[in-house]
Amino acid sequence: MSKINVTIDGQSYEVEVDLNQRDGAELTVTVNGEPLKVTIPDPDHPENMEWILIGHRPYEITVDRNLRWIRSFTGMHTLDVRDREATVSRPISGDGRVKAPIPGTVTRVLVEEGQQVEAGQPLVLVEAMKMENEIRATRAGSVSAVHVKAGQDVKLGVMMIEIG
Amino acid sequence: MSKINVTIDGQSYEVEVDLNQRDGAELTVTVNGEPLKVTIPDPDHPENMEWILIGHRPYEITVDRNLRWIRSFTGMHTLDVRDREATVSRPISGDGRVKAPIPGTVTRVLVEEGQQVEAGQPLVLVEAMKMENEIRATRAGSVSAVHVKAGQDVKLGVMMIEIG
Amino acid sequence: MFNKVLIANRGEIAVRIIRTCRDMGLQTVALYEQADLGSLHVRLSDESVPLTTEAGFTDHAAILQIARELGADAIHPGYGFLAEEPSFIRECAEAGIAFVGPPAEVVATLHDKIGAQERAREAGFTVPRHSGRAYGPEELDELRAEAERIGYPLVVKSVSGGRGSGTRLVRSADQLEPMVRQAETAAAAVFGSPAVYLEQAILPSHYVEVQLLADSHGTIVHLGERDGSIQRNNQKLLEESPAPYLSQTQRENIWRLAIELARLFGCQGACSVEFVVDRDGQPYFTEIKARIQVEHPVSEMVSQIDIVREQLRIAAGEPLGYKQSDIQLRGWAMQCRINAEDPWNRFLPSPGRLRLFRAPGGPGVRVDTYAYSSCDIPARYDPVFAKLAVWGENRFECIMRTRRALEDFAISGIQTNLPLHQRVISAADFLRGDYTTEFSRRPLLDALAVEEDRRNLAVAAAIAYAARNAVARAATPERVLTGWHRGARKLPE
Amino acid sequence: MFNKVLIANRGEIAVRIIRTCRDMGLQTVALYEQADLGSLHVRLSDESVPLTTEAGFTDHAAILQIARELGADAIHPGYGFLAEEPSFIRECAEAGIAFVGPPAEVVATLHDKIGAQERAREAGFTVPRHSGRAYGPEELDELRAEAERIGYPLVVKSVSGGRGSGTRLVRSADQLEPMVRQAETAAAAVFGSPAVYLEQAILPSHYVEVQLLADSHGTIVHLGERDGSIQRNNQKLLEESPAPYLSQTQRENIWRLAIELARLFGCQGACSVEFVVDRDGQPYFTEIKARIQVEHPVSEMVSQIDIVREQLRIAAGEPLGYKQSDIQLRGWAMQCRINAEDPWNRFLPSPGRLRLFRAPGGPGVRVDTYAYSSCDIPARYDPVFAKLAVWGENRFECIMRTRRALEDFAISGIQTNLPLHQRVISAADFLRGDYTTEFSRRPLLDALAVEEDRRNLAVAAAIAYAARNAVARAATPERVLTGWHRGARKLPE
């Protein structure tokens, strides 16, 4: 039995799940204390859980590897998942290291070392998929390092800018 | 370097292949002594070789696990593959054991123990996928055992009839 | 219009009906048996409910119970299962739930095929000679006498039948007994009753059916005719609209007959009036299917009318709102039924897990299916798992496009009848458009490959062999192959 | 007609062109760069040849060499790359290979956008005010003066441009410099030249383009108009035909203007004449695209004419063989461009490997794509990897069906703009059909989910979490979790 607190688009639910109490593909969970029948087509391969029936309602879903979002025909929803019986350490976001979120070519560097920047301020322009894309500051601060220059090809995840 | 004799729909070709002599996805093989350029998109996963370029011509293919047939947009072709540098033992077909080639329900048994049958003679009717399917003798001989009766459900591969 | 429609069916037709319901803004309830949990209709519906009894899709009470509990105000039966079951239609009426199909009495009348032909004959329509009643397995002598009266060749048909199961052609008297026994066995296995009747076989002939829409206010329109002569094992394989061998006069005559027959029987909803047309162009009325047909997409393509939408509108009591002259039939359409069966092994069923499933696309191509990459094709149901429908401005363009689409279909993991379709649309009489029901009775599986393709596929096979060998070697510990292992950095002594 | 067509393009348009070639019985040659080896066009062609030089699809010599070696007698350029390159068209002519598109001089004339507008204005057509010439990055003062003459708001456009890159809206004088710099950077990055010109911005307005077919014998017909007002980042997102806000008089007027303009410029083949239509319904001619457009399927759906086939017929010198009155525009069509980009992360590109790709199907739905389950969406090319085109009898049916088809599209492994499309077709002004180019300038990503869906998805997330935990535990040796291990059958001491 796991007791899990799920916050979706800012709204929280307490869910109790016991995967060992399955009857074939069916399972009863409780949500905020109320029972709810769920059908899991392939619970042994959770990385491939492409869809699920909650009550009678089917959802085709994609769940982020880090459980930060869930996507369905209703769109993408932000998630915060906490296991009430385990200490879950979540990766810390928003540190000052700005990495290339896409592979491409740097077309312009918009900041210099030492410059003050606001969170969300464009730092670098990267051309990828025939589009020019703004890469923005993950937080406010002072630019402590610039690792790229215009014309340079960058791979996914390459460190571009550091904000101190 | 492997020297392979391939007979397809009754026509034989000598093919020399050395997968270690690849240039990226490209590879040169020889067929009946003549060189031919081949492009293999994903040679490291041969079980997933869904398609191949022979010269400039693309083929989407399915190759039988036992190399008995190859299928493409041109249809299905019978294969006989022999490695000239290895002794390849092929499974022996046409023994007297008639197994269920499909799961279904036996609707009628057409032969009795001791009866003489010809190769290709219908032995059992199996209902599957809403169709009645004749299961036929794999060779001529005398029926030495009948393991099923009308009304019985059979699984894939279940022994139904033995011909002595 | 309804609020929520329960679809009492599975497979591609359940997917098809769900799509139109959603296009109309109607909620849907899908049903599934366990074997079908992975099928697409379960995912595409607003609600999906398991059928847990042995009877499954034929369990009237369970289905009506689900409809009531979930508040469905209409039930669409698709084809097969409950589509032509008068008692179920009456139970729907009693439960205050609309049945998407004709009234129970109409279905009952049409279901009695011998009676329906008699009634049509009395009203002046031409029908094939047939036996006056059905016969059980113990009545072989009576059946033989009746066969002599009708004359050979003739067809043995299941009274409970439909969809070709339990139908056998008998060319001469000595074949009668074995063919009747086969038909009885098949009918008993598939429909639960062995009773059969006899009908004059018209050879060679064409199977022609006219697609009709009939509302509850007396308007009946047709959406043109379809040919269904190309069959295998009495199952239609490829259908096209229009029928290529009919003259415009013959065509219009058949349309007129179909509408008159539908009126005679009081048809309502979507129905198909079926004829056998002999070599001289004379149509013989055989039966009316008072439900959606597997091959309805070809009529949708030439008429641009959504037949399922019209079924729902008619069932809700709406008038069609248009006349025959408002309907334009345009271009040409064909449909190939893609079956899970092995053309190289006498078309035995080939259920199993799909590895790859990539449907063709582009202009004029439509695919109806419950399948997708990595889904299961269950052994429990019939082998049609996809339908390829193709439209072209004329028959030539339609054939060329169908050929392209068949080549582009990528399916692995199971065997399918795609190669058979490729042969059919390359056959000379199919290309000429003067084929008959005799088309089906000849082998069609000679290879299409040219010499160069065969050589290239031999190379592909050799590479597959070499690559598999390499993987097998890699899976063997290195030291076994070479005497080396990771810890040994010097030559073995 | 030709024997063998080389397709000098990639992606969905290469697949699209190959399909029609095969429908016409023409052999095809596909080209690919290494990043595209897994794309569908490589597999669906009769022959596929790698492009090995850095220039790839813009390497005239390499492409002509391949065409000669393989005996191609025509080259179809698709859109982008070589579609509007006069020098390449001349080189094709010199090599004796037909170019599927207009003559080099026509393309050169149309490519000079300022010149083309001037010529149209002199012939009496209404055009937006615009700068008399293009300006380099060093001419900001001259550009500023010209901007004052034209007046604000205005649009900065790349002279080499097309497809929206390097286009920026400037609402007031203080924005001019930053927007010009942005446009220059984008234009230099995408097209290799930073030169820009200015055009009066008409706000609010509609983007309307008329699809034409012009043969080499003087016949020009239209296949109706398309709206392209719904954009993101100056890239069209959703197109529809007909344009919902035009009166029949306005519509017929625009058709007539388009045909007159095509005649003025000597267009040949498939081309689109583009207008900006102001609030009063006044159309301003902006430019002519003398090539197949990304959004051509909506015109194919309302006209039932295969535009690629007509391109090939025209290039082979055939007359159209039909008049305007033979063309019936029927129903309504929409197309959604499905892009590999992340709507929750400022639409940054999201290339990568698809895990799942299941396209919607059924009546009235068409998908053009180079993708399939488990293929790669390369980072090297533009983010459009699929196009969903939907037909309905009227606009309401078309919208409902588009909504259904968007919901049924199953794609995982990358992020896509499907959620954005779902918002667009639910927006009130889109539903009313009176939207303008201002539509694109507002946020559209508020959630559509109702409370119950949100709760259900929370449950799904909890189950995904629990299931992953269970697997992670199973992968950890048992003794680590419990203090037990397989060999220890007694309690640890």
Side-chain angles (χ1 to χ4, degrees), chain D residues 213-250:
Chain D
L213 297 173
D215 68 17
S216 54
H217 308 273
T219 303
I220 306 184
V221 297
H222 73 81
L223 306 183
E225 82 286 358
R226 295 183 291 256
D227 174 86
S229 305
I230 298 195
Q231 307 195 350
R232 214 200 61 77
N233 246 348
N234 298 302
Q235 304 279 337
K236 288 174 197 162
L237 187 65
L238 183 151
E239 300 97 0
E240 65 177 316
S241 179
Y245 40 76
L246 293 181
S247 69
Q248 192 58 23
T249 313
Q250 290 173 328

Side-chain angles (χ1 to χ4, degrees), chain C residues 207 209 225-231 235-244 293-299 332-338 384 387-390 395 398 402 421 424-425 430 435:
Chain C
Y207 283 1
E209 58 193 23
E225 82 287 359
R226 295 184 291 256
D227 174 87
S229 306
I230 298 194
Q231 309 195 349
Q235 305 279 336
K236 288 176 196 161
L237 188 64
L238 184 151
E239 300 97 1
E240 64 177 317
S241 179
Q293 294 264 78
V294 180
E295 54 269 36
H296 76 275
V298 298
S299 300
W332 210 281
M334 287 178 187
Q335 177 180 286
C336 301
R337 300 188 190 193
I338 315 298
V384 183
K387 302 187 310 195
L388 167 68
V390 173
R395 190 164 188 266
C398 187
T402 303
H421 282 293
V424 169
I425 62 155
F430 181 77
Y435 57 88

Side-chain angles (χ1 to χ4, degrees), chain C residues 249-306:
Chain C
T249 312
Q250 289 173 328
R251 204 182 304 284
E252 287 172 7
N253 181 46
I254 279 193
W255 294 343
R256 183 182 53 73
L257 289 176
I259 288 176
E260 287 171 8
L261 281 157
R263 232 179 259 295
L264 175 69
F265 288 99
C267 288
Q268 246 180 62
C271 60
S272 299
V273 183
E274 302 194 347
F275 299 91
V276 170
V277 177
D278 71 13
R279 207 201 294 258
D280 303 323
Q282 169 65 48
Y284 296 75
F285 165 66
T286 51
E287 59 180 306
I288 298 183
K289 298 272 168 59
R291 54 166 169 82
I292 189 97
Q293 294 264 78
V294 180
E295 54 269 36
H296 76 275
V298 298
S299 300
E300 294 189 323
M301 282 183 138
V302 295
S303 68
Q304 293 194 297
I305 288 177
D306 182 333

Side-chain angles (χ1 to χ4, degrees), chain C residues 19 22-23 25 40 44 303-304 306 309 328 330 358 361-362 367 393 397 400-401 404 407-408, chain D residues 19 22-23 25 40 44 303-304 306 309 328 330 358 361-362 367 393 397 400-401 404 407-408:
Chain C
R19 283 181 167 143
R22 290 169 54 195
D23 289 352
L40 211 47
L44 298 186
S303 68
Q304 293 194 297
D306 182 333
R309 183 194 60 202
Q328 288 175 39
R330 194 159 155 183
R358 195 193 68 228
V367 175
E393 284 188 20
E397 187 179 300
M400 293 292 284
R401 192 172 272 170
R404 179 260 291 177
E407 284 181 1
D408 287 358
Chain D
R19 283 182 166 142
R22 289 170 53 197
D23 289 352
L40 211 47
L44 298 187
S303 68
Q304 292 194 298
D306 181 332
R309 183 193 60 200
Q328 289 176 37
R330 193 159 156 183
R358 194 193 67 228
V367 175
E393 282 189 19
E397 186 178 301
M400 292 292 284
R401 190 172 274 171
R404 179 259 291 179
E407 284 181 359
D408 287 358

Side-chain angles (χ1 to χ4, degrees), chain C residues 1-8 63-64 67-68 71-77 88-103 268 311-317:
Chain C
M1 186 42 67
F2 311 115
N3 288 312
K4 192 185 272 193
V5 180
L6 180 143
I7 294 103
I63 290 173
L64 283 165
R68 269 190 300 262
D73 49 1
I75 294 183
H76 196 306
F88 182 71
I89 301 174
R90 278 184 216 106
E91 288 155 23
C92 285
E94 284 156 18
I97 296 172
F99 176 83
V100 181
Q268 246 180 62
Q311 284 190 293
L312 290 161
R313 290 183 56 231
I314 292 166

Side-chain angles (χ1 to χ4, degrees), chain C residues 81-269:
Chain C
F81 297 129
L82 304 175
E84 289 159 300
E85 198 67 68
S87 61
F88 182 71
I89 301 174
R90 278 184 216 106
E91 288 155 23
C92 285
E94 284 156 18
I97 296 172
F99 176 83
V100 181
E105 317 79 68
V106 175
V107 170
T109 305
L110 294 173
H111 198 67
D112 171 12
K113 294 181 202 170
I114 303 170
Q117 283 195 3
E118 276 304 296
R119 184 159 156 196
R121 194 175 59 76
E122 284 160 16
F125 295 91
T126 308
V127 301
R129 292 191 300 278
H130 54 84
S131 60
R133 64 174 179 94
Y135 296 84
E138 69 292 348
E139 300 178 286
L140 189 66
D141 290 339
E142 293 90 330
L143 191 71
R144 200 189 304 276
E146 189 71 1
E148 291 301 326
R149 190 187 66 76
I150 295 168
Y152 293 91
L154 52 76
V155 183
V156 185
K157 289 188 167 180
S158 158
V159 278
S160 9
R163 311 191 62 197
S165 291
T167 297
R168 291 291 185 283
L169 175 67
V170 185
R171 291 188 189 262
S172 56
D174 58 310
Q175 294 178 323
L176 184 68
E177 181 172 354
M179 288 300 172
V180 165
R181 293 305 179 215
Q182 279 187 25
E184 287 168 351
T185 310
V190 178
F191 306 110
S193 154
V196 297
Y197 70 102
L198 302 177
E199 192 177 280
Q200 166 196 9
I202 294 153
L203 295 177
S205 63
H206 310 283
Y207 283 1
V208 179
E209 58 193 23
V210 179
Q211 176 68 56
L212 301 182
L213 297 173
D215 68 16
S216 55
H217 307 272
T219 302
I220 307 184
V221 298
H222 73 81
L223 306 181
E225 82 287 359
R226 295 184 291 256
D227 174 87
S229 306
I230 298 194
Q231 309 195 349
R232 213 200 62 77
N233 247 348
N234 298 302
Q235 305 279 336
K236 288 176 196 161
L237 188 64
L238 184 151
E239 300 97 1
E240 64 177 317
S241 179
Y245 41 76
L246 292 180
S247 69
Q248 193 57 25
T249 312
Q250 289 173 328
R251 204 182 304 284
E252 287 172 7
N253 181 46
I254 279 193
W255 294 343
R256 183 182 53 73
L257 289 176
I259 288 176
E260 287 171 8
L261 281 157
R263 232 179 259 295
L264 175 69
F265 288 99
C267 288
Q268 246 180 62

